Amino acid sequence: MVNASDVSPHRLYRQVRLGLGRKPVPDVELDVHRAMEVLRLRQLWCYRR
């Protein structure tokens, strides 16, 4: 995941996402989408075993 220390998406988030073959996310939804991805990955990391 491409992430930055502040709450906004990293400037490369969109390019990496497209490079991985994932669907583009509209600009108005990008912040919410990225926050949901961060939450999902944190949960996976916390409960891995």
Side-chain angles (χ1 to χ4, degrees):
M1 170 175 271
V2 177
N3 204 3
S5 59
D6 60 356
V7 294
S8 62
H10 190 276
R11 61 185 177 84
L12 295 177
Y13 183 77
R14 182 180 306 282
Q15 289 83 0
V16 170
R17 184 172 171 74
L18 293 174
L20 292 172
R22 296 190 179 164
K23 294 180 183 179
V25 177
D27 288 340
V28 295
E29 297 176 13
L30 191 61
D31 287 341
V32 172
H33 174 77
R34 183 188 110 351
M36 293 301 292
E37 284 289 299
V38 168
L39 179 62
R40 184 180 68 81
L41 290 172
R42 283 183 179 161
Q43 288 176 338
L44 287 172
W45 180 256
C46 287
Y47 297 109
R48 71 187 192 290
R49 288 184 195 220

